Structure formats: structure tokens, C-alpha cells
Amino acid sequence: MSSANAIWRSCSTCKKPIEFQQTYYACSVSTCNRTRHGFCFCSVSCWDAHVPMMRHREAWAEPQTAPTREAVERAQHAEHAPHTTSRTPAVGAGTAGSAHEVLIVVSKLKQYIKQQAAMHTADTVHGMLSDHLRHLCDQAIAHATA
Ligand SMILES: [Zn+2]
Ligand SMILES: [Zn+2]
């Protein structure tokens, strides 16, 4: 792992990188920690620098330990997971796999038989052919997985 990947966040004052599991300083004032990307400081002096800026009357620096990279990545995955799953339609939930669906293009089949033999095709044929086709597919799948 390169050191560039070990950076968790950067100091809110001096922009120095704060690495995973490094000790950093957080502000005791809740408004400074309210957002997810709240203030964090690499040292007490950096924390000191933001106090007049934020007009804190009573505040202190709280030593904290940066989370591990794994913990941050897990939190990010947890955040993104519900979105990605809701966007993806469930595969196989539709009628595509239903056991009695017609698998052939009936009009093309009728056209072919008409051309070949000048015969009309009974409407029940496509159901039978679909069943036969399913059977052939099942056999092919069994062969392929064997
Ligand atoms: Zn700093
Ligand atoms: Zn603060």
C-alpha cells in the first residue's frame, strides 16, 4: 500500500493529511462536528487557529483516533448499497422464465411453414414447439454444466 492511500482526511487548518488510525483533534463544539465532513485538526495549535474564526466562547480540543481504512470503506459501502440495489431490477422476477411462455416468433414460424408447404399452422403448435424448445434448452444446459 502506498502512503498516498493511507490518508483519511486533511487538517481543517493547515491541510496536512491525517492518516488512518492517526491521533487527531476534534473540536468540542457540536456545530463543528455536525456535518459528516466536520472539522478535524492534526494538532492542538491547528485547532487553536479555528477558535477565533468560529467565535467559540468555550471550547477545547478532543483527541480522537482516526478510523481504520476498513471501517471507512465499510461505511461507504453501506451508504451506497441501498441505492445500487434499488436501481437494479430484480433478475428473473418478470415473466421471462415462466414455464409456459412462448419462446418462438409465431409469425415467422407460420410464414416459414406457409412458404415451405403452403400450409396453415394451428395456433396450438407454438405452445408445443415452445415446450419442445424448453426441453432442448434444458438438455443443452445439462450437457453444458456436466
Ligand atoms: Zn494542521
Ligand atoms: Zn470548533
Side-chain angles (χ1 to χ4, degrees), residues 11-16 40-43 45-47:
C11 173
S12 300
T13 299
C14 71
K15 307 297 174 199
K16 214 177 94 174
C40 60
F41 307 96
C42 67
S43 63
S45 59
C46 279
W47 169 83

Side-chain angles (χ1 to χ4, degrees), residues 54-122:
M54 299 299 288
R55 293 186 198 146
H56 290 332
R57 269 192 284 164
E58 252 183 72
W60 59 90
E62 288 175 339
Q64 305 275 345
T65 306
T68 62
R69 184 208 306 271
E70 287 73 26
V72 171
E73 281 173 358
R74 222 181 297 125
Q76 282 170 347
H77 281 300
E79 256 172 51
H80 294 307
H83 294 289
T84 49
T85 47
S86 64
R87 243 186 262 129
T88 315
V91 177
T95 54
S98 102
H100 299 290
E101 195 171 58
V102 174
L103 300 179
I104 54 167
V105 182
V106 179
S107 59
K108 303 260 185 194
L109 178 81
K110 286 189 176 186
Q111 199 180 14
Y112 177 73
I113 291 172
K114 205 172 180 179
Q115 277 173 356
Q116 294 295 308
M119 287 176 187
H120 287 285
T121 314

